[in-house]
Amino acid sequence: MPILAFLRDNAPWLAAGVLLTFLSSFGQTFFISIFAGRIMEDFGLSHGQWGGIYTLGTTASAALMVWAGGLTDRFRVRALGTVILLMLMGACLFMALNPVWWLLPAVVFALRFTGQGMTSHIAVVAMSRWFIATRGKALSIATLGFAGGEALLPLIFVALMLTWDWRALWILAAMIAVVGIPVLLLLLRQERTPQSWAKSDQSLGMLSRHWTRKQTLGHFLFWFMVPALLGPAAFNTAFFFHQVHFAEVKEIAHVELVAMFPLYTGVSIGSMVLSGWALDRLGTARLIPYMQLPMVIAFVLFSIANGPITTLLGFVFLGITTGANTTLPNAFWAEFYGTGHIGSIKAMAAAIMVFGSAIGPGLTGLGIDLGLGIESQYLLVAVYFVFTSVMMGIGITRARPSLSGAT
């Protein structure tokens, strides 16, 4: 179906997906972290303490998602989405009105669970159910809400922070979240009925079979991939989490730094499209070992940057891996382990990535407190991504002959 006709015929449902992914921004690290300086100042926290609080709240959110994610199998989007957006509004107000530091883990948990967790999960599950033949196209359009929020909200809210109290901005976020409810209900007046997973045209993995989650855990390639699963989640999150500190170290205004985010988002979108195009022609085995090499360049540039040009280049290379990371890993699991049990396998991989996003801010914050500067840490992060690339290369080289049709 031509893209314009697809957009026209499915506009309400696609728009609902974009709306939900956009509103999930209020629970994403790139948004919460723009208030890091004010939060640490008001509550008297060090970088390590704030990072530890963030790790604790995010880990609790990930644990609850194991159960709550299944609610999407029982309730329609307009019902569950309304409840979650009300809870997101409450989480934003919780941040705005919280008077004591010891409630911050609960605040972070509420924001991460309702925003980063459930709001985005509802959107992705809805696209997967409502669209079958055009599922990939629908998912790519719906996730533009993530890109829009990442490009616009930090810039707008950091600019507003120059004249507004930071707590008032969280009240504004709560208002935006609750305004999304009538828009969602309007778009889903005729919500589609969830459709079951197609049982035909399943693709086989290595050794011409469908691998179970238990079999995957016992296979060497999975463990060669674990460092690569942890890396982007941990250190992408850590970079945006410590953006205020990074701006201070580089002696640039925070608003100047967030003004670079739209470039990063644009490169990410372009990389996502190009990696999908290359994937169809070359396959994951040829591409995925090189996916994280741009991260090596990005973190070296962030470490040595002494001006806006170098920092901008860092965002370009960061965006290349971020975009590719939305397509290549998802295709990898299906290509190497088959689609018969792909849901349980991908859920396991997602749990590892969530764990990475939980430990990244805490680990780097502790390093700052112990005197290991963020610039030195970023050089170590670059070395880590060299390691993940080598591990993926070794694992893929050993496993590739087991693929059906491998030559």
Side-chain angles (χ1 to χ4, degrees):
M1 180 186 297
I3 185 64
L4 291 180
F6 175 74
L7 291 173
R8 181 189 65 241
D9 295 343
N10 299 283
W13 303 288
L14 294 171
V18 173
L19 174 68
L20 288 169
T21 56
F22 177 81
L23 292 177
S24 78
S25 298
F26 299 125
Q28 302 282 3
T29 299
F30 70 79
F31 184 80
I32 299 173
S33 61
I34 67 178
F35 301 94
R38 304 295 176 87
I39 291 171
M40 289 188 292
E41 180 182 348
D42 277 21
F43 293 103
L45 300 173
S46 69
H47 291 282
Q49 290 169 332
W50 171 229
I53 287 170
Y54 200 79
T55 295
L56 182 62
T58 300
T59 302
S61 167
L64 184 58
M65 276 295 298
V66 175
W67 169 80
L71 295 175
T72 54
D73 295 329
R74 300 170 54 190
F75 299 98
R76 288 179 176 271
V77 172
R78 62 172 175 261
L80 185 59
T82 297
V83 173
I84 294 299
L85 288 179
L86 283 171
M87 293 173 64
L88 178 59
M89 177 195 70
C92 293
L93 291 176
F94 193 7
M95 177 65 92
L97 302 175
N98 173 41
V100 291
W101 72 267
W102 49 267
L103 281 177
L104 281 175
V107 174
V108 172
F109 162 76
L111 287 169
R112 298 290 275 166
F113 173 71
T114 58
Q116 185 259 354
M118 285 301 293
T119 306
S120 57
H121 179 68
I122 292 169
V124 172
V125 170
M127 295 303 107
S128 298
R129 285 204 172 117
W130 292 342
F131 301 90
I132 295 180
T134 55
R135 184 177 294 147
K137 191 183 297 183
L139 284 167
S140 65
I141 293 170
T143 53
L144 289 176
F146 292 127
E150 198 170 53
L152 298 175
L153 291 178
L155 185 60
I156 293 171
F157 275 74
V158 169
L160 289 174
M161 209 184 305
L162 297 174
T163 55
W164 288 37
D165 180 75
W166 70 272
R167 293 179 182 271
L169 292 177
W170 278 103
I171 295 176
L172 175 62
M175 294 171 60
I176 295 172
V178 78
V179 166
I181 294 175
V183 178
L184 182 68
L185 294 175
L186 179 65
L187 291 171
L188 298 182
R189 286 178 298 178
Q190 296 180 329
E191 182 174 341
R192 289 181 169 178
T193 301
Q195 302 178 48
S196 61
W197 292 97
K199 298 186 182 297
S200 59
D201 298 327
Q202 293 184 339
S203 60
L204 298 171
M206 293 176 290
L207 304 177
S208 299
R209 72 184 191 189
H210 294 298
W211 292 66
T212 66
R213 180 160 66 179
K214 182 179 180 180
Q215 291 169 336
T216 301
L217 278 171
H219 189 252
F220 71 87
L221 180 57
F222 174 79
W223 297 104
F224 274 86
M225 293 297 296
V226 165
L229 293 173
L230 285 169
F235 298 115
N236 235 11
T237 300
F239 177 81
F240 287 102
F241 184 81
H242 293 298
Q243 61 181 268
V244 173
H245 177 66
F246 179 77
E248 292 173 353
V249 169
K250 296 301 182 180
E251 298 182 345
I252 59 176
H254 188 202
V255 69
E256 294 178 19
L257 181 68
V258 299
M260 301 178 189
F261 289 5
L263 173 66
Y264 161 76
T265 303
V267 172
S268 299
I269 294 172
S271 176
M272 179 180 66
V273 174
L274 288 175
S275 62
W277 174 84
L279 174 65
D280 291 338
R281 287 153 180 79
L282 301 175
T284 55
R286 294 182 180 178
L287 296 173
I288 203 166
Y290 307 101
M291 177 183 69
Q292 295 183 359
L293 289 178
M295 295 284 265
V296 176
I297 302 173
F299 279 96
V300 168
L301 290 173
F302 288 143
S303 176
I304 66 174
N306 57 4
I309 300 300
T310 310
T311 305
L312 275 171
L313 284 174
F315 276 112
V316 169
F317 286 99
L318 191 69
I320 291 172
T321 292
T322 300
N325 201 49
T326 63
T327 57
L328 295 181
N330 289 327
F332 164 81
W333 298 113
E335 184 173 334
F336 279 81
Y337 293 102
T339 56
H341 307 280
I342 192 64
S344 61
I345 293 172
K346 287 177 66 176
M348 181 174 57
I352 294 171
M353 290 187 285
V354 170
F355 178 66
S357 72
I359 65 174
L363 186 64
T364 49
L366 179 62
I368 294 170
D369 283 1
L370 294 177
L372 184 61
I374 198 71
E375 293 173 315
S376 298
Q377 289 193 49
Y378 284 168
L379 286 178
L380 294 175
V381 170
V383 173
Y384 177 83
F385 282 115
V386 172
F387 166 71
T388 64
S389 299
V390 171
M391 289 288 285
M392 283 191 290
I394 295 173
I396 293 292
T397 299
R398 287 183 57 190
R400 190 175 178 183
S402 299
L403 285 173
S404 301
T407 56

